[in-house]
């Protein structure tokens, strides 16, 4: 019986892909500059937030009223609050929508336009903010309030009964 020889198998080494070249860390001056810029931006944002807080504190001079039952005042409460788990026909002031901390005030005897032109326009400008009107939201006026990279959204909504304006501040665009 003739002998059958198996074909010779040459061992070929399978090469793995070359290891990635080590990357060099960024020079310390670049890292330091980035950290410094981030720190400066955080400080500026903190200053802007404090300035906006000061402006909002001045609202107390206009007759601020706090309320607990949003559906009595908001023309579109669903734009601000989740529905109540106990009563689906009402809204839960303890569950504001994302970007709204649930804190709002009512300024009596001022329409949203009046409140913006007689109070917010000058006070925001004097504090170094720009205010740009956006499309309406939740039945009221919406403004982007900006100082550098710090941005908030001011929502001024006529109360359902027309006796005043609800002031809502959003941390993100609603």
């Amino acid at each position: 019986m003739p002998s059958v020889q198996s074909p010779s198998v040459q061992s070929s080494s399978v090469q793995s892909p070359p290891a990635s070249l080590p990357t060099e860390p960024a020079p310390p001056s670049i890292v330091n500059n980035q950290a410094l810029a981030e720190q400066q931006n955080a400080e500026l944002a903190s200053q802007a937030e404090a300035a906006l807080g000061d402006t909002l504190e001045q609202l107390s001079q206009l007759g601020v009223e706090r309320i607990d039952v949003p559906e009595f005042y908001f023309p579109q409460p669903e734009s601000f609050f989740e529905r109540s788990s106990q009563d689906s026909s009402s809204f839960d002031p303890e569950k504001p929508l994302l970007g709204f901390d649930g804190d709002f005030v009512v300024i009596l005897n001022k329409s949203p336009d009046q409140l913006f032109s007689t109070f917010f326009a000058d006070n925001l400008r004097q504090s170094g903010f720009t205010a740009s009107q956006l499309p309406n939201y939740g039945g009221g006026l919406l403004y982007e309030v900006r100082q550098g990279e710090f941005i908030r959204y001011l929502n001024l909504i006529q109360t359902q009964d027309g006796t005043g304006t609800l002031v809502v501040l959003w941390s993100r665009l609603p």
Side-chain angles (χ1 to χ4, degrees), residues 133-142 155:
Q133 191 165 2
L134 300 174
N136 290 357
Y137 178 80
L141 303 175
L142 183 64
N155 207 177

Side-chain angles (χ1 to χ4, degrees), residues 116 124 129-134 142-148 150-155 173:
F116 187 81
L124 290 171
F129 289 93
T130 59
S132 306
Q133 191 165 2
L134 300 174
L142 183 64
Y143 297 88
E144 178 186 82
V145 176
R146 175 187 288 263
Q147 187 182 89
F150 178 82
I151 301 171
R152 292 294 182 267
Y153 298 91
L154 178 65
N155 207 177
L173 186 61

Side-chain angles (χ1 to χ4, degrees), residues 31-108:
V31 172
N32 290 340
N33 288 342
Q34 289 172 340
L36 181 61
E38 288 174 9
Q39 181 181 0
Q40 287 173 339
N41 284 341
E43 288 172 9
L44 290 173
S46 178
Q47 291 169 359
E49 191 162 17
L52 185 57
D54 291 344
T55 299
L56 294 174
E57 285 291 319
Q58 295 172 22
L59 281 172
S60 63
Q61 300 167 4
L62 300 177
V64 172
E65 184 178 313
R66 307 249 336 133
I67 57 176
D68 293 326
V69 188
E71 61 264 30
F72 292 154
Y73 291 88
F74 283 86
Q76 297 175 13
E78 69 279 2
S79 297
F80 301 90
F81 302 97
E82 291 182 17
R83 290 212 176 263
S84 170
S85 58
Q86 297 166 354
D87 178 6
S88 64
S89 66
S90 68
F91 296 86
D92 190 342
E94 298 298 318
K95 294 183 179 176
L97 297 182
L98 186 63
F100 168 43
D101 66 5
D103 197 20
F104 58 89
V105 295
V106 177
I107 306 297
L108 299 174

Side-chain angles (χ1 to χ4, degrees), residues 1-55:
M1 178 168 211
S3 75
V4 176
Q5 293 184 346
S6 61
S8 67
V9 176
Q10 295 181 353
S11 97
S12 64
S13 63
V14 175
Q15 294 185 352
S16 59
S20 61
L21 297 174
T23 57
E24 293 185 28
S29 62
I30 291 175
V31 172
N32 290 340
N33 288 342
Q34 289 172 340
L36 181 61
E38 288 174 9
Q39 181 181 0
Q40 287 173 339
N41 284 341
E43 288 172 9
L44 290 173
S46 178
Q47 291 169 359
E49 191 162 17
L52 185 57
D54 291 344
T55 299

